[in-house]
Amino acid sequence: MPRMIFVNLPVTDLKRATAFYEAVGATRNPQFSDDTASCMVFSETIFAMLTTHDKFRQFTPKPIADAKISNQVLLCLSADSRSEVDDIVARAAAAGGVADPSPKDEYSFMYGRSFEDPDGHMWGVNWMDMTAFAAQCEMANA
């Protein structure tokens, strides 16, 4: 069985957050969702667990950081093309997120942009041309 990752994110408005993540391409799994949490599926191995603050507090005694003013983690999703990167960021902005809170990454082998969800959690979206990356590494090591 492949290893899976569940990213747990505290959100201030669960319905708004669920709609936002659906807009950027995740699917809500009702089996692991209720009125305190939404399990958002990005792929067979990547999940974002959106939880109300009360639910999130059940898992940690530490205070919940306000992601709009501080940052503890940067999350990143891969994309299949440059146009998919642009599409995901555009959908995030249209759904109430902030497009490009970080500078764009643009290299000969990689293209990346970012978005911030309505609660301030930052996500990167990156595409890599692995053939160009391998060629660049070969040239650097020659």
Side-chain angles (χ1 to χ4, degrees):
M1 184 167 129
R3 209 173 280 279
M4 298 185 292
I5 184 167
F6 292 82
V7 176
N8 292 273
L9 299 174
V11 299
T12 55
D13 181 331
L14 184 60
K15 286 183 182 181
R16 178 188 69 188
T18 301
F20 176 84
Y21 282 92
E22 287 175 332
V24 297
T27 304
R28 183 177 176 270
N29 180 337
Q31 183 180 8
F32 298 106
S33 302
D34 59 23
D35 60 343
T36 65
S38 287
C39 177
M40 304 307 295
V41 181
F42 283 98
S43 74
E44 292 180 11
T45 58
I46 303 169
F47 306 84
M49 292 297 298
L50 309 177
T51 63
T52 63
H53 281 221
D54 287 341
K55 180 74 164 189
F56 195 85
R57 285 185 190 101
Q58 293 176 11
F59 301 109
T60 179
K62 294 180 179 181
I64 296 172
D66 181 346
K68 290 187 180 214
I69 61 171
S70 64
N71 205 6
Q72 184 178 20
V73 65
L74 296 173
L75 306 160
C76 188
L77 294 170
S78 63
D80 291 329
S81 66
R82 292 174 62 95
S83 62
E84 186 180 25
V85 170
D86 292 336
D87 180 57
I88 291 171
V89 173
R91 286 187 283 147
V98 175
D100 300 309
S102 299
K104 293 180 183 179
D105 292 322
E106 189 142 15
Y107 304 99
S108 61
F109 62 90
M110 184 177 84
Y111 177 67
R113 294 181 61 192
S114 59
F115 66 84
E116 189 175 287
D117 76 10
D119 287 282
H121 305 290
M122 290 182 57
W123 288 81
V125 185
N126 285 50
W127 165 79
M128 287 186 67
D129 178 341
M130 295 307 290
T131 304
F133 178 69
Q136 184 169 335
C137 288
E138 286 178 20
M139 287 176 27
N141 293 327

